[in-house]
Amino acid sequence: MLERLQTYIDRRHLADPTDRILIGVSGGVDSMTLLDLLRQACPGRIAAAHVNFGLRGAESDGDQQLVEAYCEEHAIPLHTVRFDTETEARTSGESIQMAARRLRYEWFETLCDSHGYDRIAIAHHADDSAETFFINLLRGTGLRGLTGIADRRGRIIRPLLFARRDEVTAYAAAHGVPYREDSTNATLKYLRNRLRHDILPRLDSASNNRFARTMEENLVRLQATQAFIDLQVERLRERAFAGPEEIDLDALDATCIGFELYELLRPFGFVPETAEEIADLLRRADDGSGTTLSGKRFEAEKWTARIDRRRILLAPRVVEPFREERIEADDPRVEWLSLDELPDSLATPPETAYLTADALKFPLHLRGWREGDWFIPLGMAGQKKVSDFLIDAKVPVAEKARQGVLLSGETIVWLVGRRIDDRYKVRQDGRRFVRITL
């Protein structure tokens, strides 16, 4: 196993002989095995980093104690940190898993900057890469998402990708490497665990135990194909960019113009749908239908693309901050109504909302939505993040930036123009009602 690790590192050029390597160690079998191997392969050039996310109480503390004991026994420098991950997720609006991942990698990068580490070693192995392939396949992706886990990206290296999970476990057992099982790895709540414990073992059985090896071979081919495509895209960029922010549309191949446009626009944050929309405009303009190209605008989170004749002009997007307002009870945009004055139909244009006013606290507050905002959309029983609601509604990025929310105190009562909060809908037992037009 040690020889295979050293061969893999050398063959894939993952680290130089003088590199100082920071190893992300959770306390599980994968990371403890990687730590044990690199301790022997790179003596005097490694350090460990352990994150306590505080999500599993005493289990999390036990993981940290195990890592601390191993590092003390083998004189390995150790960095530890504890995060309040749940609070961070609520604040940022991310899932707990995404918040934990971001916190972890940001901390690793900070350690490299402050302590002079050259590489960050992560203990993903071949089975993790196969699972990632299927996760992306099921969620929808292009070729890049089907290449599994890269063995190197920036400072991050993954020296264990040559090994299967059972090989890692066998090594730990044979060499007395201590580790702890994460109880959440057994639950089928997460897609990755369902793939790991149920779906992929069935595929392996159906293929007479050839599935895992075949997947490794498939991923190698897909990675090689993606590398070739990346090389061709770089050549396309050299040909198509008339300037750093100007694309010559005549340099593109009509047979695959949507794909080429996406590859050129992707670094600027544009989504595939935008590339296809521009490609469709080009096709219609070229078929004599009279479609006009010039002046069409498309927006990503941080960039704007404007078509000027046969060129796309890119420019940083300037987003005006949402104008916050206080709306008093006597504001002309607020009309007070009794139950008898309500119309028979409460169907309204997007700029109008009917609300039961009994629980409203004036002045109301109008502002732009923020990460972490949530409400209970009309007709739903549970709360939903505003970010998730906008994603599900397929709201374009430019519109998201201009999305307003109306609050009573700290509670959202209306995602303006889209949906009121179910708790403030018109009720027959209400005493006062308002019609608000914004």
Side-chain angles (χ1 to χ4, degrees), residues 23-291:
I23 308 166
V25 185
S26 67
V29 64
D30 303 335
S31 62
M32 290 300 294
T33 294
L34 179 61
L35 178 61
D36 192 77
L37 288 167
L38 287 178
R39 172 181 65 82
Q40 301 167 71
C42 311
R45 295 191 289 114
I46 67 166
H50 175 80
V51 181
N52 188 329
F53 292 108
L55 295 171
R56 295 180 290 115
E59 276 193 56
S60 295
D61 295 336
D63 295 345
Q64 180 171 334
Q65 291 163 9
L66 173 77
V67 176
E68 289 172 340
Y70 182 91
C71 289
E72 182 178 359
E73 178 184 352
H74 295 281
I76 299 171
L78 173 65
H79 306 276
T80 62
V81 69
R82 178 185 290 267
F83 291 120
D84 185 348
T85 312
E86 291 183 337
T87 298
E88 177 67 21
R90 285 196 298 270
T91 301
S92 66
E94 301 168 289
S95 68
I96 287 178
Q97 290 79 12
M98 290 301 296
R101 184 182 187 279
R102 175 176 57 79
L103 289 168
R104 181 183 186 219
Y105 282 103
E106 286 177 354
W107 182 58
F108 288 167
E109 293 287 350
T110 299
L111 288 176
C112 287
D113 292 337
S114 58
H115 292 81
Y117 299 118
D118 302 291
R119 299 284 180 261
I120 302 167
I122 306 297
H124 290 122
H125 49 64
D127 293 65
D128 292 320
S129 193
E131 291 160 10
T132 298
F133 169 94
F134 281 98
I135 287 172
N136 291 340
L137 180 67
L138 292 170
R139 290 175 176 170
T141 186
L143 175 61
R144 186 173 283 103
L146 299 179
T147 57
I149 299 175
D151 58 15
R152 180 171 181 171
R153 183 164 294 157
R155 285 171 168 161
I156 296 171
I157 60 173
R158 296 181 172 88
L160 269 187
L161 279 179
F162 69 89
R164 296 282 313 281
R165 177 178 288 110
D166 56 359
E167 294 176 307
V168 172
T169 304
Y171 174 90
H175 294 82
V177 178
Y179 65 89
R180 285 170 59 86
E181 289 286 355
D182 183 342
S183 61
T184 61
N185 287 338
T187 177
L188 298 183
K189 174 182 177 182
Y190 305 111
L191 174 58
R192 184 176 292 276
N193 286 354
R194 294 197 295 275
L195 286 165
R196 178 178 301 170
H197 299 302
D198 183 19
I199 299 171
L200 297 188
R202 294 191 192 191
L203 290 173
D204 202 37
S205 175
S207 63
N208 295 320
N209 300 320
R210 280 286 306 162
F211 170 75
R213 187 60 58 191
T214 300
M215 273 304 304
E216 289 181 38
E217 296 167 355
N218 287 338
L219 290 175
V220 168
R221 295 189 189 100
L222 290 169
Q223 289 164 2
T225 303
Q226 184 62 58
F228 175 77
I229 290 173
D230 290 341
L231 177 63
Q232 301 309 311
V233 169
E234 285 304 313
R235 293 174 177 170
L236 172 65
R237 286 197 179 97
E238 294 174 3
R239 185 172 72 250
F241 272 91
E245 297 170 5
E246 183 177 333
I247 299 173
D248 180 2
L249 293 173
D250 289 327
L252 306 184
D253 189 321
T255 60
C256 53
I257 192 168
F259 175 80
E260 289 188 341
L261 272 172
Y262 174 59
E263 289 297 326
L264 295 175
L265 292 171
R266 184 171 60 85
F268 297 90
F270 289 90
V271 296
E273 290 78 10
T274 298
E276 283 300 331
E277 188 174 351
I278 297 174
D280 185 57
L281 282 171
L282 287 169
R283 294 186 193 101
R284 286 190 277 132
D286 292 341
D287 68 9
S289 64
T291 298

